[in-house]
Amino acid sequence: MSFTPDIQAFCCHYTSQQAIAEAAEQLKADGMPENVTLNRVVCTGKLQEVTILKAFENGADGVFVVGCPEETCHNRKGSARAAKRVIAIKNSLEELGLGSDRAEMFHTERGFHPEFVTAAQTMNDRITAMGPAFGDSK
Amino acid sequence: MIVAKRKPVNEILEMVKDAKKVLVLGCRSCVSVCSAGGEREVEILASLIRIGMKKAGKKIKVIEGSLVRQCDKEFIASIDDWKGKYDAIVSTACGVGVNFIANLREKDVVYPALNTTFMGGSEEQGIWAEQCAGCGDCVLHLTGGLCPVVRCAKSLMNGPCGGSVGGHCEIHSSVDCVWQNIHDRMDAIGQSAGMDRIAPIRDWSTSTHGGPRTEVRDDLTV
Ligand code: SF4
Ligand code: SF4
């Protein structure tokens, strides 16, 4: 049975510029999976743990966060804070039996870079292989 | 303040496994400051319970609330605001809060979401350290303000012991020998003569060894 995961991405204003610069069609041509929903936040450091958890509550099979490289974050420590929160989420997901790999943090350069699309593809491949987060109970 | 830590989420899920409606109830005092049981942590725990139950294929309604404190009668009474909306309360207060709900609300089922760990303070962001054990007979005036009861692994009253090496406790090199610190501090504040005093054998009946403790202030009772 084919499975198309619901993947929610939380990207900071700076790392998501590719999504803004290119129209949805162009992004798709670059290889952006259509089942990845982009949620733009001012800085990943502002992203609360509960926001990521809510995405799972609402049926996401996987969530990833894209922020600036840790050393060059536009808001100094924003993406480093986000990375720590993602680790907390991974631990909780593992504890709950969903698997820690359903959440991931990526750091990419600010602006227009293909790594942004690569992160989405990596998550899509991973979560497709893992299957639905909630099995039949979703 | 009282420092606490959330229990593993599966332990909490086991407590509520037969509940249909749960109230996750936070405390906006100590445990909020130590990021274990305030409003933000209530949101997180409520979400984790929903996800865990969904994963288990069970239906549950989880509502969220918080009180200014859970260690005062007046605030506990306001749990009536959620009347009929829960069949179990998961309290993210310290153990005092959970006990207070159990003491005062005859019919309410209440579960602890936290492990209450100690009385302490934040050394730096995200790090807390124990400072006082509530022994009921404080000796800080004799020890330069540093507590030998809880900060010495052996609660020695005449320290250090023979295991103190280079300012560290023998239990682990990452732990300060508080008796070394006490000597250094007494010296620094001009009270080193106090270190010649031999503390007598201690009467621990004021501590938990004497059974549950209560404090009655006749000037305040009505
Ligand atoms: S001596 Fe007793 S009351 Fe004083 S700080 Fe230590 S444990 Fe607390
Ligand atoms: S080394 Fe210091 S802190 Fe450790 S047990 Fe001995 S006196 Fe107490």
Side-chain angles (χ1 to χ4, degrees):
Chain A
M1 204 173 73
S2 77
F3 162 61
T4 306
D6 172 349
I7 299 177
Q8 298 293 320
F10 292 90
C11 326
C12 81
H13 174 74
Y14 302 96
T15 53
S16 66
Q17 278 171 2
Q18 177 147 350
I20 304 160
E22 297 195 328
E25 279 311 306
Q26 180 56 42
L27 209 56
K28 195 176 146 192
D30 293 342
M32 188 74 176
E34 283 180 88
N35 52 317
V36 173
T37 307
L38 297 182
N39 302 275
R40 198 147 64 95
V41 293
V42 282
C43 168
T44 53
K46 273 293 268 182
L47 189 61
Q48 298 298 320
E49 275 176 51
V50 74
T51 309
I52 300 178
L53 291 174
K54 289 265 181 220
F56 283 105
E57 249 189 67
N58 293 333
D61 299 296
V63 173
F64 68 100
V65 179
V66 190
C68 307
E70 287 207 13
E71 318 72 48
T72 55
C73 178
H74 182 82
N75 293 311
R76 299 194 55 186
K77 292 196 167 176
S79 63
R81 284 179 204 276
K84 289 193 167 190
R85 289 179 193 148
V86 170
I87 290 172
I89 296 289
K90 280 168 131 340
N91 292 338
S92 294
L93 293 176
E94 188 65 28
E95 226 184 322
L96 290 170
L98 278 83
S100 59
D101 285 344
R102 290 190 186 275
E104 200 58 79
M105 178 79 203
F106 294 89
H107 297 275
T108 68
E109 293 296 334
R110 294 200 289 276
F112 196 85
H113 291 283
E115 289 82 3
F116 185 76
V117 173
T118 310
Q121 289 169 338
T122 303
M123 275 313 269
N124 191 30
D125 292 347
R126 185 196 288 182
I127 304 300
T128 304
M130 287 178 86
F134 295 98
D136 298 333
S137 59
K138 189 170 161 181
Chain B
M1 72 177 132
I2 292 179
V3 179
K5 188 176 189 255
R6 198 191 72 221
K7 282 179 173 289
V9 66
N10 283 333
E11 198 180 327
I12 300 168
L13 284 172
E14 178 64 24
M15 297 174 200
V16 300
K17 67 176 191 302
D18 297 323
K20 297 276 171 283
K21 298 176 286 180
V22 162
L23 167 63
V24 180
L25 189 63
C27 172
R28 301 202 292 272
S29 296
C30 301
V31 291
S32 165
V33 180
C34 69
S35 298
E39 289 170 302
R40 182 173 291 184
E41 293 73 32
V42 163
E43 276 188 302
I44 291 173
L45 178 58
S47 189
L48 288 172
I49 294 174
R50 288 185 205 109
I51 294 171
M53 293 302 242
K54 187 171 175 177
K55 180 73 185 161
K58 290 186 182 172
K59 289 229 176 313
I60 193 166
K61 179 141 183 65
V62 185
I63 55 169
E64 301 161 25
S66 70
L67 301 180
V68 175
R69 285 192 294 283
Q70 293 189 19
C71 51
D72 264 317
K73 268 186 171 180
E74 293 79 355
F75 298 118
I76 295 295
S78 63
I79 293 176
D80 282 342
D81 292 353
W82 293 281
K83 207 172 177 177
K85 293 189 176 147
Y86 61 85
D87 41 44
I89 299 172
V90 174
S91 165
T92 69
C94 71
V96 179
V98 179
N99 273 274
F100 254 61
I101 293 173
N103 290 342
L104 296 167
R105 301 189 65 92
E106 214 185 347
K107 300 266 194 258
D108 278 349
V109 174
V110 60
Y111 298 120
L114 306 185
N115 288 323
T116 305
T117 40
F118 51 76
M119 278 190 272
S122 177
E123 287 185 327
E124 51 187 280
Q125 189 172 321
I127 300 174
W128 291 268
E130 188 169 19
Q131 305 290 307
C132 169
C135 73
D137 187 10
C138 194
V139 297
L140 293 182
H141 56 302
L142 303 171
T143 59
L146 305 176
C147 176
V149 174
V150 82
R151 296 174 69 179
C152 166
K154 296 165 188 159
S155 298
L156 296 179
M157 288 300 118
N158 294 288
C161 71
S164 175
V165 179
H168 301 290
C169 175
E170 67 176 335
I171 62 161
H172 200 274
S173 57
S174 65
V175 177
D176 272 4
C177 168
V178 81
W179 271 106
Q180 176 74 54
N181 295 346
I182 290 169
H183 279 268
D184 292 347
R185 189 162 152 75
M186 293 292 270
D187 210 15
I189 60 176
Q191 295 184 5
S192 56
M195 287 290 87
D196 292 334
R197 173 187 168 273
I198 309 258
I201 293 172
R202 218 186 127 109
D203 172 5
W204 287 102
S205 63
T206 58
S207 189
T208 49
H209 310 60
R213 296 170 288 178
T214 48
E215 184 59 41
V216 180
R217 281 270 306 270
D218 285 334
D219 55 330
L220 296 176
T221 52
V222 283

